[in-house]
Amino acid sequence: MTTTARRSRSVTEIRDLTITEVRLTPILVADPPLLNTQGVHQPYTPRLIVEVVTADGTTGVGETYGDTKYLELARPFARKLVGRRVSDLNGLFVLADEVAVDGSRVSGQVDVGGLRGVQTADKLRLSVVSGFEVACLDALGKALGLPVHALLGGKVRDTVEYSAYLFYKWADHPEGVVSERDDWGAAMDPAGVVEQARRFKERYGFTSFKLKGGVFPPDEEIAAIRALAGAFPGHPLRLDPNGAWSVATSLKVADALGDVLEYLEDPTLGTPAMAEVAARTSVPLATNMCVTTFAEIEEAFGQGAVQVVLSDHHYWGGLRNTRELAAICRTFGVGVSMHSNTHLGISLAAMTHVASTVPGLHHACDSHYPWQSEDVLTSRLTFEDGAVRVSDAPGLGVELDRDRLEFLHRRWVDDDGSLRDRDDAAAMRVAEPGWVTPTVPRW
Ligand SMILES: O=C([O-])C(=O)C[C@H](O)[C@@H](O)C(=O)[O-]
Ligand SMILES: [Mg+2]
């Protein structure tokens, strides 16, 4: 027997990858007052940290949304996982189907409030599964001595490029609201947006910029993008109003900014309206709202409604599903990049691993990470020249900081329930008591 054969036999013999324990830790992490068309980010946002522990003592970590409806699903799912092997990744989806979703939690409609597209029971399940899939991959990688990207077939690039995620922003959360201070200052006009972009570039080296729009009337946001184009000539620019505009307004913005936009992201809501815009402009349209499930692909691609799909391993059901999505996009000549909600380093590591394995990733990925001053890792991931280096360490290549996890969990425990479900409109009402979630199209 060769040495290699002896070594690999001994790995399977020694390693017992049966899951013996699953730990779920909901946390609240600090979030700055970032504005979007719904309102403003709350001072703390919920996330769920998932740990799977195997019989041989290996621990894998994952991260997903931490709102109550996700927790309610994650708990029974975690119980079902015990006794299975971390390598049984396909089985996760079978298992997920066995976990009932409370029908009142999903509408089946495009969920404007959530900024994340349609809300279905399946999508809710997939968002939960994603945290467990990443934790299983992390454990499997650690047990085998392989990085997660190797478990996905291997990286095709050594670094993954990210874009600066610019937001209109207040300097602080409203007076009287308990929050952590940040040093970004306010950005409420074109000059403020350019200044924010400058700092993103200085601190992280980002060279492409995305502005979260749908906050001010379109003319003001056009002016902000023009100001960015003036300050950073030749840099890819994107504008994303989360579906806040009518078809006519979308076309007007596309016309005004066509020469400087890399793409326009979800200018209007729903596939038919996106298709109408796409048919009448040459500006590429990207989405993380009208194509967020496999079921939505056929209609959107058939109608030519989108040219770039912004994948998100959280709501597509994990890293392997993200690769399947990328393969479908490739088949239809549709570009692929990555969407991001507020997330921590575990998810950034997961995003980076999967992105490193996707051929033809032509656009820098989104990431909220620079906005997160808090993390659950012993050492934060870093951006160099706007990119994250792909780790070759076993698993995700990250280490949980138990004290930080406990601290952020304590904040969740101590919360009276008002911050456990993200609600940007509620946060806005603190400053503007009459605020209601705007109906769309808003402009
Ligand atoms: O469309 C997007 O890119 C997002 O929905 C990302 C985030 O949800 C962003 O809008 C936010 O957090 O305000
Ligand atoms: Mg978007």
Side-chain angles (χ1 to χ4, degrees), residues 102-123:
D102 173 357
S104 66
R105 298 283 194 196
V106 290
S107 63
Q109 301 298 311
V110 169
D111 176 27
V112 188
L115 305 166
R116 297 170 202 157
V118 73
Q119 284 279 294
T120 65
D122 267 351
K123 190 164 157 191

Side-chain angles (χ1 to χ4, degrees), residues 246-315:
S246 66
V247 168
T249 303
S250 304
L251 287 167
K252 188 185 131 188
V253 177
D255 194 41
L257 295 175
D259 58 324
V260 293
L261 283 182
E262 177 186 12
Y263 54 68
L264 199 50
E265 184 174 327
D266 288 308
T268 192
L269 209 58
T271 289
M274 287 282 280
E276 240 184 291
V277 176
R280 290 155 65 189
T281 177
S282 57
V283 177
L285 302 188
T287 188
N288 63 271
M289 294 183 78
C290 74
V291 180
T292 61
T293 61
F294 287 100
E296 292 165 304
I297 290 177
E298 187 181 356
E299 185 194 4
F301 288 12
Q303 294 186 16
V306 296
Q307 287 69 54
V308 182
V309 172
L310 304 171
S311 67
D312 182 319
H313 77 267
H314 301 94
Y315 52 65

Side-chain angles (χ1 to χ4, degrees), residues 53-351:
V53 186
T54 61
D56 73 348
T58 308
T59 301
V61 293
E63 172 190 344
T64 189
Y65 299 108
D67 310 61
T68 311
K69 62 185 175 188
Y70 299 94
L71 294 185
E72 284 176 356
L73 218 56
R75 289 188 183 113
F77 189 75
R79 284 195 290 274
K80 281 178 180 286
L81 219 56
V82 173
R84 304 176 73 95
R85 288 164 68 88
V86 285
S87 52
D88 186 9
L89 297 166
N90 294 330
L92 293 176
F93 298 94
V94 180
L95 213 59
D97 285 342
E98 294 170 14
V99 180
V101 173
D102 173 357
S104 66
R105 298 283 194 196
V106 290
S107 63
Q109 301 298 311
V110 169
D111 176 27
V112 188
L115 305 166
R116 297 170 202 157
V118 73
Q119 284 279 294
T120 65
D122 267 351
K123 190 164 157 191
L124 195 55
R125 283 194 192 95
L126 289 177
S127 301
V128 171
V129 168
S130 72
F132 290 89
E133 189 235 29
V134 168
C136 285
L137 282 166
D138 184 36
L140 188 58
K142 282 175 178 158
L144 299 176
L146 292 171
V148 165
H149 69 74
L151 303 179
L152 301 173
K155 60 182 180 180
V156 294
R157 57 186 66 81
D158 291 322
T159 57
V160 171
E161 205 192 328
Y162 287 87
S163 66
Y165 201 151
L166 311 179
F167 276 86
Y168 288 108
K169 179 185 176 296
W170 295 333
D172 296 299
H173 285 282
E175 216 181 306
V177 170
V178 176
S179 61
E180 312 302 310
R181 291 218 61 175
D182 67 78
D183 66 355
W184 287 92
M188 297 297 279
D189 55 20
V193 169
V194 168
E195 181 50 28
Q196 191 184 89
R198 218 182 283 289
R199 295 178 73 182
F200 261 100
K201 190 173 169 143
E202 259 166 39
R203 290 182 185 186
Y204 307 105
F206 295 121
T207 52
S208 52
F209 302 97
K210 158 172 166 169
L211 176 62
K212 174 58 51 170
V215 176
F216 293 116
D219 282 346
E220 291 183 42
E221 298 187 352
I222 289 171
I225 293 290
R226 279 271 156 228
L228 284 171
F232 306 98
H235 289 49
L237 304 176
R238 310 145 179 195
L239 178 57
D240 173 16
N242 281 113
W245 303 333
S246 66
V247 168
T249 303
S250 304
L251 287 167
K252 188 185 131 188
V253 177
D255 194 41
L257 295 175
D259 58 324
V260 293
L261 283 182
E262 177 186 12
Y263 54 68
L264 199 50
E265 184 174 327
D266 288 308
T268 192
L269 209 58
T271 289
M274 287 282 280
E276 240 184 291
V277 176
R280 290 155 65 189
T281 177
S282 57
V283 177
L285 302 188
T287 188
N288 63 271
M289 294 183 78
C290 74
V291 180
T292 61
T293 61
F294 287 100
E296 292 165 304
I297 290 177
E298 187 181 356
E299 185 194 4
F301 288 12
Q303 294 186 16
V306 296
Q307 287 69 54
V308 182
V309 172
L310 304 171
S311 67
D312 182 319
H313 77 267
H314 301 94
Y315 52 65
W316 284 89
L319 307 189
R320 290 167 334 115
N321 272 11
T322 302
R323 283 183 47 78
E324 289 185 15
L325 168 65
I328 295 170
C329 289
R330 212 158 47 242
T331 309
F332 287 89
V334 170
V336 64
S337 188
M338 226 175 249
H339 159 264
S340 148
N341 276 125
T342 304
H343 65 86
L344 300 178
I346 298 171
S347 278
L348 183 61
M351 290 157 70

